[in-house]
Every structure is written in structure tokens, then in C-alpha cells.
């Protein structure tokens, strides 16, 4: 085998390994981003739920302060 063919073969192996490594890294990064999206959605739902609970408690607190009793 000539020196040129050895160099070309070596470079193609290095480039191929680099591409495969990059694709695996990119897949892992995408998976992590998807997981972070799920975590953020759960946090948003909890925040929204707590805001609705607070919003629903405000009339009860106001009625108690006004001396009204709600059955």
C-alpha cells in the first residue's frame, strides 16, 4: 500500500470516528434537553396549581375577614 493511500485511509477513519462521536454526543444532548423540558413542564404545572389554590382561597379569606360565613 502506498503512503498516500495509508494517509487517506487514516484520515477517513479519523473523520468517521469524529462523526460517530459527534452524533452520539448530539443524541445525548437532545435527550437531556427533552428531559429538562419535562422537568420545566412539571414545575409550571405545580406553579399554576399553587396559584389557582391561592386564587381560590382569597375569597374565603375575604369573607372570613368581613364576618361572613360560607357553608
Amino acid at each position: 500500500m502506498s503512503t498516500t493511500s495509508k494517509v487517506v485511509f487514516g484520515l477517513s477513519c479519523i473523520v468517521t470516528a469524529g462523526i460517530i462521536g459527534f452524533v452520539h454526543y448530539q443524541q445525548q444532548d437532545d435527550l437531556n434537553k427533552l428531559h429538562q423540558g419535562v422537568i420545566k413542564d412539571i414545575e409550571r404545572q405545580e406553579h399554576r396549581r399553587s396559584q389557582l389554590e391561592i386564587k381560590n382561597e382569597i375569597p374565603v379569606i375575604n369573607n372570613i375577614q368581613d364576618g361572613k360565613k360560607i357553608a
Side-chain angles (χ1 to χ4, degrees), residues 35-59:
H35 185 66
Q36 289 299 318
V38 170
I39 291 172
K40 286 180 182 179
D41 284 344
I42 291 170
E43 289 173 355
R44 280 189 211 113
Q45 288 174 356
E46 289 175 355
H47 180 71
R48 181 175 289 151
R49 187 176 299 123
S50 67
Q51 290 298 320
L52 287 174
E53 288 175 359
I54 290 170
K55 191 175 184 180
N56 288 336
E57 290 176 2
I58 289 175

Side-chain angles (χ1 to χ4, degrees), residues 12 16 18 25 28 33 37 39 45 70:
S12 66
T16 302
Y25 169 78
Q28 193 65 33
K33 286 179 184 176
I39 291 172
Q45 288 174 356
I70 299 177

